[in-house]
């Protein structure tokens, strides 16, 4: 069966020319060469001692999000400890920022470090929209609030941030928005929105109603509405980049919400063929057999309810025979990154057998196609994800896995690009 996976491969060489940082692209291999002096005195096993920890069955110990300030200091989410770790430009751990609690400068829910605002403050969010701002030395500055669930945010300038948000509308309907918000005054401008009804979601999921017990839903392929959610990023001059996976369109906005530019990526999205649909259907049938066995072994339902669930699941599987069930194309891309020369790094979906081909597309902020390449690192597994990669003065700081450490492989490393 052909499976679609996210393949992220890139290649860049950063050079200083005439005093300006310019990023050049190789149509070949770019090696990430680790700076051995970075973090040499840091006990990474201690920093990542919670590597194997899970919360609500999710591997939160493996997840880290990082941001970097102008001086090269890095701030890293440490969810299991309700804090943010700060590392110096040399990779040495310095302070913990915030703690678990409801007091000033504390996090009542799992914090997520988001960005550096105006070069002065780092800020965090949580799923209930609480915003905490801290000075770069880690001292508390102020609280703010987002009145809906922030899926992602990026800093702009003049105390403004851009927010990709999830807004419940009642009755199971939701609205996704992108807004620009002054985090101090609270003034907010919505520049994009899209509504989604409960009925639209149920068209892509398997929903079985059990009398007296509500409903039970099963995830189906392409049922995740987030698959085609727009991605947001910010440039070094505070502009907002919005990229749409469904169409490949990119829009650029100033911090005041004015559209500056738009273009379409020169990427050919993957089509879903008749063979692909047959493969998806056969795979779903195999999964249905596993689900059926699990339901029959469950003690939560009587025989009649078990059969209702099983029949409902198989009815959902039959949806995969309908060509109209599928999107017109797979997303144009999986991830969006911005380097420190304001170039876009767009990761394309790829079939498994093309894992060694060049699938990272690079564009300038004006939409000019720059090239493709792939990354290699001798000792580290690198995932070029916007949460785990930061460009700084032509180098890269990244959360990586040490290929030689089977116990606790997670590291924070700086790389030179060769």
């Amino acid at each position: 069966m052909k499976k679609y996976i996210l393949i992220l491969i890139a290649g860049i060489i950063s050079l200083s020319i005439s005093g300006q940082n310019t990023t050049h692209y190789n149509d070949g291999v770019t090696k990430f060469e680790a700076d051995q002096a970075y973090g040499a005195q840091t006990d990474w096993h201690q920093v990542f001692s919670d590597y194997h920890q899970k919360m609500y069955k999710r591997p939160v110990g493996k997840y880290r999000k990082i941001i970097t300030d102008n001086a090269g200091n890095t701030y890293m989410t440490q969810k299991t400890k309700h804090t943010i770790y700060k590392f110096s430009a040399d990779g040495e751990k310095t302070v913990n920022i915030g703690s678990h609690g409801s007091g000033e400068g504390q996090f009542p829910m799992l914090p997520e470090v988001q960005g550096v605002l105006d070069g002065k403050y780092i800020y965090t969010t949580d799923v209930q929209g609480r915003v905490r701002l801290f000075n770069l030395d880690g001292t508390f500055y102020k609280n703010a609030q987002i009145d809906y669930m922030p899926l992602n945010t990026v800093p702009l300038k003049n105390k403004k941030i851009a927010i990709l948000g999830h807004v419940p509308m009642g009755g199971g309907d939701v609205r996704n928005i992108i807004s620009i918000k002054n985090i101090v005054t609270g003034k907010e401008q919505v520049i994009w929105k899209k509504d989604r009804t409960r009925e639209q979601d149920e068209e892509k999921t398997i929903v079985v109603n059990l009398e007296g017990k509500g409903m039970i839903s099963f995830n189906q392929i392409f049922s995740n509405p987030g698959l085609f959610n727009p991605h947001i990023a910010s440039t070094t001059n505070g502009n907002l980049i919005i990229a749409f996976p469904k169409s490949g369109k990119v829009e650029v906005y100033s911090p005041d919400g004015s559209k500056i530019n738009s273009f379409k990526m020169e990427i050919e999205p993957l089509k879903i063929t008749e063979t692909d649909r047959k493969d998806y259907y056969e795979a779903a049938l195999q999964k249905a057999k596993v689900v059926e066995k699990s339901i029959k072994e469950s003690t939560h339902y009587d025989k009649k309810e078990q059969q209702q669930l099983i029949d409902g699941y198989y009815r959902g599987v039959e949806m995969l025979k309908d060509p109209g069930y599928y999107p017109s194309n797979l997303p144009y891309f999986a991830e969006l990154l911005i380097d420190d020369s304001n170039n876009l790094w767009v990761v394309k979906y790829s079939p498994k057998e093309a894992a060694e081909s060049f699938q990272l597309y690079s564009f300038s902020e004006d939409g000019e196609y720059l090239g493709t390449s792939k990354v290699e690192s001798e000792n580290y597994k690198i995932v070029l994800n916007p949460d785990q990669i930061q460009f700084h003065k032509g180098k890269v700081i990244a959360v990586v896995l040490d290929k030689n450490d089977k116990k606790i492989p997670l590291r924070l490393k700086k790389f030179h690009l060769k």
Side-chain angles (χ1 to χ4, degrees), residues 14 101 150 162 198 213 220 370 385:
S14 295
R198 178 176 173 177
K213 290 189 176 181
Q220 183 62 287
L370 300 175
N385 176 299

Side-chain angles (χ1 to χ4, degrees), residues 67-75 86 116 119 122 136 390 392:
I67 60 172
T68 302
D69 65 21
N70 292 333
N73 300 303
T74 299
Y75 307 82
K86 179 180 178 180
V116 180
I122 69 163
L136 298 186
Q390 291 286 293
H392 184 258

Side-chain angles (χ1 to χ4, degrees), residues 291-299 303 306-307 310:
V291 171
E292 179 178 0
K293 182 175 183 295
S294 175
I295 291 173
K296 287 181 176 179
E297 292 174 351
S298 173
T299 59
K303 294 294 184 181
Q306 288 178 351
Q307 196 58 50
I310 293 168

Side-chain angles (χ1 to χ4, degrees), residues 383-399:
V383 179
L384 298 186
N385 176 299
D387 287 351
Q388 298 173 316
I389 287 287
Q390 291 286 293
F391 294 91
H392 184 258
K393 296 183 178 179
K395 299 180 178 61
V396 165
I397 299 171
V399 178

Side-chain angles (χ1 to χ4, degrees), residues 105-108 111-112 114-115 117 121-134 140-148 150 153 159 161 163 181-184:
Q106 291 188 307
F107 306 116
E112 185 83 274
Q114 293 288 303
L117 188 60
Y121 316 104
I122 69 163
Y123 72 96
T124 69
T125 63
D126 65 25
V127 295
Q128 291 192 355
R130 299 181 185 90
V131 180
R132 302 286 186 263
L133 290 94
F134 299 85
F140 174 72
Y141 172 57
K142 72 180 285 86
N143 292 331
Q145 182 68 42
I146 299 170
D147 298 325
Y148 46 86
T153 80
K159 300 182 177 63
I161 65 173
I163 308 165
K181 183 182 182 75
N182 186 310
I183 207 63
V184 175

Side-chain angles (χ1 to χ4, degrees), residues 362-410:
S362 303
F363 302 91
S364 72
E365 188 179 1
D366 295 328
E368 178 188 0
Y369 171 72
L370 300 175
T372 63
S373 189
K374 64 178 179 179
V375 159
E376 285 186 0
S377 178
E378 183 176 355
N379 296 313
Y380 300 96
K381 181 179 179 181
I382 299 169
V383 179
L384 298 186
N385 176 299
D387 287 351
Q388 298 173 316
I389 287 287
Q390 291 286 293
F391 294 91
H392 184 258
K393 296 183 178 179
K395 299 180 178 61
V396 165
I397 299 171
V399 178
V400 298
L401 294 175
D402 188 332
K403 297 177 183 178
N404 302 311
D405 190 335
K406 304 300 181 184
K407 185 178 179 182
I408 302 180
L410 214 55

